[in-house]
Amino acid sequence: MAAANPVLPGFHPDPSICRVGADYYLVTSTFEYFPGLPVHHSRDLVNWQLIGHVLDRPTQLDLDGVRSSGGLYAPTLRWHDGLFYVVCTLVGSPEDRPGGNFVVTATDPAGPWSEPVWLGEPDSFDPSLYFADGEAWFCATRPNPASPVAGGTEVWVQAFDVATLSLVGPQTVIWHGALVDAVWAEAPHLYRVPDGVLLVIAEGGTAFHHAVTCARADHVTGPYRNAPTNPVLTHRHLGERYPVVGAGHADLVEAADGTWWAVALAMRTRWADDGYHYPMGRETFLAEVQWEDGWPVVNPGIGSLRERQPGLGGAQPSSDYGYSVRDDFSRDSLGPGWSFVRTPRAPIASLTERPGWLALHPQPTSIEDVGCPAFLCRPQDSWDFTASGVLEFTPRTEFDVAGIVLRQSEGFSLQLLISVDSAGRRVARAIRRFAGVNEVAAVVPVADGPLHLSVAGAGLEYHLAVDDVSLAKLDGRGLSSSVAGGFTGTMLGPYAHAPAGSPIAYWNWFAYRAN
């Protein structure tokens, strides 16, 4: 059985949580991937089920032209008076289209969610909502022009009108970070506590120096007093070789039994000669919270994230924990676990034109372009895994390709592709794309007919095979943001590309097994 922490393994950053009765709901960032903002449900805080997405229609989410690691940043999920609210920021939208902060609502967190209502404030990000004492407030972060350090920010609040979903009244700057010369004081969340209003933020940047700090005030607009225990959560004091780094960006929730909990992001790492790497990206972890002198204490007696974290009432992960899945493509539509890169505008994936098969229509846009390629993907969520499937594909030219891709961005990927060579022979290619340059590791002739393709991850090494014959072993450090930059984790799955838009790549099944 896999460890119970992270509770949402793989690319699930910036978690935000809320409770309604005995039900817990959680959303995470998706950046340039569509659909946007997955909604997970749990009753025990360790076993989570994907029930839908907040933004699942092109009218809600236009990601055309958005760069990698742009898109949807740091949502906050809240429930108030029978309605669910999500506020989020769309980063990098072209100037002729809406962008910045927005709010959507739903009566059912599984959807459907409303069309976005744009809130303006283009320089602000990481928005949050606070409902208490008959008031509603919007809270966010923006650059602080008076800061003496690069990355200095300020947290501000403004009243929120629930009837019109708009910001009203004056803005008040309430915080600049807990530590001297704090950078990237961001991800603010406000909570009503017995001693007033608690402000919880992230600071230090969402990498090794990430941390959670807090402050308290009698009223939302302050003044706020720094917690004497800050930071209340960080792993930076544990050193770069600690297996989990970057703990931060926390959201708190009170359980029905009166206990308190936190969800936070962090990264599981492997060490190499050039430092630590985390191809799975930033993941969602769980921690217990107790209160001492009106301040939150995270995992008392430990002060860091646990490798195994029991949930409510000591709940443990279920026996099928680990997100191993097999899709036989027997439905009429794709399941909610699949994603695209940016908003799909053309029919890319069909389950009806050849029942029992995924028909993946190649697009002129490739995995190396800023666009929406024919790439159906899901997160890598385990160090050791196998992703495999049966592909039927008859390429006509050496530019027609189909296979399995592991993507970090346009410039960094691993590719197992079926094509033809200059002599017209069908071949399999193993490609490592690093900093925008393709390195062909192997080219091997393959037989006609359906092929079994597989990629097996083993730490930072990835083994590519065709019909169970080893093709290449590739270095996967370029799949980590520590090398590639950005904020996303590895996404993998079936892929096809052809300049003319054909031939179609047919997949009989695709499976992901966490080993």
Side-chain angles (χ1 to χ4, degrees):
M1 185 183 299
N5 236 357
V7 292
L8 280 183
F11 173 43
H12 292 99
D14 308 329
S16 180
I17 190 170
C18 76
R19 176 180 67 87
V20 181
D23 296 293
Y24 299 83
Y25 302 99
L26 188 149
V27 298
T28 51
S29 296
T30 44
F31 294 89
E32 72 266 30
Y33 290 94
F34 181 98
L37 310 183
V39 182
H40 286 82
H41 168 261
S42 179
R43 285 285 182 94
D44 60 17
L45 297 175
V46 293
N47 294 288
W48 293 88
Q49 179 185 7
L50 178 64
I51 60 173
H53 288 78
V54 175
L55 305 173
D56 59 3
R57 306 185 299 276
T59 57
Q60 293 175 297
L61 181 59
D62 186 348
L63 293 171
D64 297 347
V66 169
R67 59 176 171 81
S68 288
S69 289
L72 295 176
Y73 279 43
T76 295
L77 172 66
R78 294 293 182 259
W79 180 87
H80 171 68
D81 198 20
L83 200 61
F84 290 90
Y85 296 79
V86 165
V87 286
C88 190
T89 310
L90 176 57
V91 175
S93 185
E95 292 183 359
D96 61 343
R97 299 205 306 270
N101 298 311
F102 63 89
V103 58
V104 290
T105 61
T107 55
D108 183 345
W113 289 77
S114 68
E115 296 292 313
V117 175
W118 298 94
L119 299 174
E121 303 300 330
D123 292 334
S124 292
F125 55 95
D126 290 11
S128 185
L129 290 175
Y130 171 72
F131 300 98
D133 305 321
E135 300 178 335
W137 292 86
F138 177 89
C139 184
T141 302
R142 64 190 173 203
N144 176 15
S147 174
V149 296
T153 58
E154 59 187 25
V155 176
W156 59 277
V157 297
Q158 188 174 3
F160 178 73
D161 187 331
V162 296
T164 61
L165 301 180
S166 62
L167 307 183
V168 295
Q171 296 180 357
T172 304
V173 175
I174 60 172
W175 201 241
H176 294 94
L179 305 185
V180 174
D181 293 336
V183 297
W184 299 115
E186 57 191 357
H189 294 305
L190 295 163
Y191 311 88
R192 186 72 175 91
V193 294
D195 295 292
V197 180
L198 181 75
L199 169 67
V200 173
I201 67 164
E203 61 184 67
T206 186
F208 177 74
H209 294 105
H210 210 196
V212 179
T213 62
C214 59
R216 202 171 64 216
D218 293 332
H219 188 258
V220 175
T221 55
Y224 282 80
R225 179 166 65 91
N226 203 16
T229 52
N230 277 327
V232 296
L233 176 64
T234 189
H235 279 198
R236 60 193 178 202
H237 64 295
L238 299 173
E240 292 185 350
R241 291 179 181 266
Y242 194 72
V244 176
V245 303
H249 202 115
D251 196 9
L252 309 184
V253 64
E254 183 180 12
D257 63 2
T259 59
W260 281 76
W261 301 79
V263 289
L265 71 79
M267 299 89 80
R268 289 179 288 168
T269 65
R270 289 288 172 91
W271 187 264
D273 55 6
D274 56 346
Y276 66 78
H277 302 285
Y278 51 101
M280 288 173 287
R282 300 174 301 158
E283 307 173 281
T284 292
F285 288 73
L286 179 69
E288 299 172 54
V289 174
Q290 293 184 13
W291 296 88
E292 296 182 4
D293 299 325
W295 299 109
V297 178
V298 179
N299 283 343
I302 299 172
S304 61
L305 298 172
R306 291 185 175 96
E307 180 181 356
R308 293 192 59 83
Q309 175 63 63
L312 283 171
Q316 297 291 327
S318 61
S319 59
D320 61 352
Y321 182 84
Y323 295 94
S324 295
V325 293
R326 177 186 169 105
D327 198 330
D328 291 309
F329 303 119
S330 57
R331 299 158 47 112
D332 291 335
S333 59
L334 291 171
W338 292 110
S339 297
F340 297 93
V341 183
R342 303 183 182 87
T343 308
R345 301 296 181 183
I348 292 177
S350 170
L351 300 182
T352 57
E353 62 184 76
R354 185 178 178 183
W357 293 72
L358 164 68
L360 195 61
H361 290 255
Q363 300 296 303
T365 297
S366 81
I367 201 71
E368 300 166 4
D369 300 324
V370 178
C372 181
F375 178 48
L376 198 60
C377 55
R378 51 144 295 136
Q380 175 190 340
D381 61 21
S382 175
W383 285 113
D384 301 309
F385 72 92
T386 302
S388 60
V390 169
L391 168 67
E392 186 177 292
F393 180 63
T394 306
R396 299 169 183 170
T397 75
E398 57 188 305
F399 302 107
D400 300 339
V401 299
I404 298 175
V405 166
L406 296 90
R407 178 188 187 272
Q408 213 283 334
S409 65
E410 282 76 37
F412 293 84
S413 60
L414 302 181
Q415 306 172 22
L416 171 56
L417 302 180
I418 304 302
S419 184
V420 294
D421 62 15
S422 58
R425 297 176 303 175
R426 197 163 74 146
V427 296
R429 289 188 174 91
I431 299 171
R432 178 177 183 255
R433 183 169 174 82
F434 190 91
V437 177
N438 286 353
E439 306 166 359
V440 179
V443 181
V444 177
V446 293
D448 293 333
L451 297 170
H452 176 254
L453 308 185
S454 66
V455 177
L460 296 173
E461 190 172 69
Y462 295 76
H463 300 209
L464 281 58
V466 178
D467 285 342
D468 298 322
V469 176
S470 178
L471 184 64
K473 296 180 181 179
L474 302 182
D475 184 336
R477 284 178 286 184
L479 298 176
S480 170
S481 292
S482 58
V483 173
F487 304 112
T488 59
T490 301
M491 300 287 281
L492 59 87
Y495 166 69
H497 168 63
S502 63
I504 297 172
Y506 292 100
W507 290 84
N508 186 240
W509 56 268
F510 191 89
Y512 176 93
R513 183 180 74 251
N515 298 331

